[in-house]
Amino acid sequence: MNGAEALLRTLADGGVEVLFTNPGTTELHLVGALESVAEVRGVLALFEGVVTGAADGYARIAGKPAATLLHLGPGFAYGLTNLHNSRRANSPVVNIVGDHATFHTAFDPPLNSDIAALAGWLRGPVRRPEDAAGAGPDAAASLAAVLEAPGQVATVTMPADVSWSDGGLAGATVKPRTAPTVDHQVVAQIADVLRGGDTTALVIGGTALREPGLLAAGRIAAATGARVFQELYSNRVDRGAGLPAFTRLGFYPEQVLDQLHGVRHVIVAGTKAPISFFAYPDQPSLLVPDGAQTHVLAEVGQDAVAALVHLADLVAADASAQVTEPHRPALPRGPLTLHNWADVVAALLPDRAIIIDETVSSGTALAAATAGGPRHDVLMQTGGAMGDGLPLAVGAAVAAPDRPVVALVADGCVMYTATALWTQVREQLNITNVILNNQAYAILRQEWGHFSKRPGLASPDSNPLFQLANPQIDFVALANAFGMPASRATTAEQLAEQFSQALTQSGPHLIDATVPPAA
């Protein structure tokens, strides 16, 4: 084998089945190696931000890593935004970044760059084999690293001559370490806190937001009266009838402080203590109330589910979680609003759907509307970097072709990675894209309100940098340009008809849903 074949063979032997890519010249031997390693499916995207976001979505749904193949440092840089989201989601991703041949870099060719410096930003392992014999072992070590709890992003830089040279051998797969368990004494101490009778909040995140963790947290709440909250942005949440529906922490400091008002203890499991997303004048960064104690039941990367179950067995042995009864909102009528569009989606949501939530300011009503619907998963953009929604949908649909994917994406977010629509069509993925089109950066209008007391700040309504209406973006025409069926909805009735139709037809669809900007 050459080095390229050794690398891909090693990944395939370790369970990698999909490689998302936008390749270039230095990656041609890696592209060629896909022909000899048929177990790995290559999925083409037109932009590296789609490649990396799709790998993230795939990993979250498949529960195993995808690989990316990127073109030198500039291609890697294009993909870094959604790799930032992947890092925050703790998604296992193996990046393969092509580089110039080892003998060529000394001449500093135009595409030469410091790939290791870019990769270091992701805080995962970075490897660079110097010959074909090292490609397989480096791939095996990278794969083992990304699978260690809670998951991370690893990068392998492949010089072109390492890829084309013979002498490669598949690396022996390394079994990753399992998530470390929480010490029994820690659980016992927190059980004592809950038995103490003080007002307590339990904040859960990560793997604790899957069914076993939700039910354990629900038992704890039922037995002790603890308030349970979901972290603000989560990589994957189980939702629907038969499960507890916990409130998400708010985005703004005053919202969280109100949610935690009167709390004397804050217990965190699978996430960190709540902090403010941004800094604001006269607002704290740490949002644990003054005088309250923080207790860590499970660090990010520890087995939070097992810790919650153990805690529930100690303090709620005979309790049952309060779960949401089956319920769907009635189909609304009239012009689309920030509330009724979510009622339409919730009323028609199919069983086992995967919702991609990048609604930003337009999605405040979504969680309540869908709480009693059929079981579904929700994926969110976790790192705050916009443009993850459409790529996440690509990866989720590749990972679960038998499940309907519903991508709910704000109009401004679409334009970062609109070429994901092309990949959806190319792969004929089962995705219904609903674009929440308010023709504005409405979230920035809201943010402006948190600084508006400062002198000299004009009204956000008059600032042209917050407007997307000049020129208006025709999302129907944009989708059609990529070969995707598309329609426009301005009323709840139109959205219901178009959403129902899209769900019954194979392949991807887009609906441009006109909604007002958030106040």
Side-chain angles (χ1 to χ4, degrees):
M1 291 187 288
N2 62 26
E5 292 166 339
L7 182 143
L8 288 181
R9 169 52 55 198
T10 302
L11 294 180
D13 290 348
V16 174
E17 297 178 352
V18 180
L19 181 144
F20 296 96
T21 184
N22 182 256
T25 302
T26 48
E27 295 76 51
L28 289 179
H29 287 83
L30 287 155
V31 172
L34 287 170
E35 297 180 7
S36 59
V37 186
E39 300 95 320
V40 179
R41 169 187 175 185
V43 176
L44 182 64
L46 301 179
F47 175 64
E48 288 84 349
V50 177
V51 169
T52 54
D56 184 3
Y58 177 93
R60 297 195 209 182
I61 292 299
K64 58 185 178 181
T68 72
L69 179 59
L70 305 167
H71 183 42
L72 293 126
F76 188 29
Y78 282 139
L80 279 174
T81 294
N82 280 332
L83 287 172
H84 164 78
N85 289 325
S86 300
R87 179 177 72 83
R88 289 293 185 177
N90 298 309
S91 296
V93 176
V94 178
N95 294 312
I96 307 165
V97 183
D99 197 8
H100 291 294
T102 55
F103 58 83
H104 193 55
T105 55
F107 297 95
D108 193 25
L111 277 171
N112 199 34
S113 64
D114 191 343
I115 296 173
L118 294 172
W121 185 54
L122 300 172
R123 304 182 187 175
V126 182
R127 292 179 172 83
R128 178 189 176 91
E130 294 302 322
D131 54 39
D138 277 357
S142 297
L143 186 57
V146 304
L147 288 170
E148 289 185 10
Q152 62 182 326
V153 178
T155 303
V156 181
T157 302
M158 283 289 286
D161 55 333
V162 171
S163 289
W164 73 52
S165 297
D166 291 332
L169 296 172
T173 55
V174 180
K175 187 175 181 180
R177 295 191 296 269
T178 58
T181 58
V182 175
D183 185 89
H184 294 299
Q185 187 61 35
V186 172
V187 182
Q189 290 171 352
I190 291 178
D192 288 339
V193 171
L194 287 165
R195 294 188 188 106
D198 289 336
T199 304
T200 302
L202 171 60
V203 182
I204 60 175
T207 56
L209 293 169
R210 308 300 301 279
E211 181 173 355
L214 293 170
L215 292 174
R219 290 170 57 202
I220 294 166
T224 69
R227 307 177 198 171
V228 182
F229 295 96
Q230 174 187 328
E231 64 183 348
L232 176 58
Y233 290 121
S234 307
N235 58 8
R236 180 175 175 178
V237 185
D238 287 354
R239 284 182 52 82
L243 294 174
F246 298 123
T247 302
R248 281 173 66 186
L249 289 175
F251 182 85
Y252 291 109
E254 64 271 20
Q255 294 172 332
V256 179
L257 292 173
D258 183 64
Q259 290 171 319
L260 300 181
H261 179 72
V263 164
R264 305 302 300 166
H265 301 276
V266 176
I267 301 168
V268 294
T271 186
K272 300 186 297 184
I275 61 169
S276 178
F277 200 90
F278 292 109
Y280 299 98
D282 305 318
Q283 293 279 18
S285 294
L286 179 64
L287 301 180
V288 175
D290 289 341
Q293 291 182 275
T294 300
H295 309 269
V296 179
L297 174 62
E299 300 274 4
V300 175
Q302 289 185 301
D303 192 339
V305 174
L308 283 168
V309 171
H310 185 189
L311 182 60
D313 290 342
L314 291 179
V315 302
D318 300 322
S320 298
Q322 180 179 352
V323 299
T324 307
E325 296 297 322
H327 171 75
R328 289 180 186 264
L331 280 172
R333 303 178 64 83
L336 286 176
T337 69
L338 291 178
H339 285 84
N340 69 13
W341 79 259
D343 286 341
V344 172
V345 170
L348 301 172
L349 189 69
D351 189 36
R352 300 180 63 244
I354 300 169
I355 291 179
I356 310 298
D357 181 3
E358 198 179 28
T359 54
V360 196
S361 63
S362 296
T364 54
L366 181 64
T370 56
R375 290 289 185 92
H376 60 279
D377 289 297
V378 178
L379 309 187
M380 306 174 190
Q381 106 3 33
T382 52
M386 303 300 187
D388 209 13
L390 295 180
L392 282 176
V394 169
V398 170
D402 60 327
R403 298 180 62 182
V405 176
V406 178
L408 308 173
V409 185
D411 53 351
C413 297
V414 171
M415 298 311 297
Y416 289 96
T417 48
T419 59
L421 300 173
W422 182 88
T423 301
Q424 292 183 15
V425 174
R426 176 183 173 90
E427 299 292 328
Q428 280 299 289
L429 301 175
N430 186 23
I431 301 172
T432 301
N433 304 280
V434 180
I435 310 307
L436 286 311
N437 185 358
N438 59 24
Q439 301 182 34
Y441 282 138
I443 187 64
L444 293 183
R445 290 182 179 178
Q446 290 182 339
E447 291 284 351
W448 192 277
H450 282 71
F451 299 95
S452 61
K453 296 178 182 179
R454 296 179 62 85
L457 290 182
S459 166
D461 296 330
S462 63
N463 193 316
L465 296 182
F466 298 161
Q467 305 292 337
L468 298 180
N470 181 26
Q472 292 188 20
I473 303 168
D474 188 338
F475 289 104
V476 173
L478 180 64
N480 289 162
F482 292 124
M484 182 180 295
S487 55
R488 180 173 292 106
T490 60
T491 67
E493 294 91 337
Q494 291 172 343
L495 180 59
E497 178 182 2
Q498 295 167 20
F499 191 66
S500 297
Q501 185 177 22
L503 292 172
T504 60
Q505 297 176 349
S506 61
H509 296 75
L510 182 143
I511 302 169
D512 179 348
T514 301
V515 296

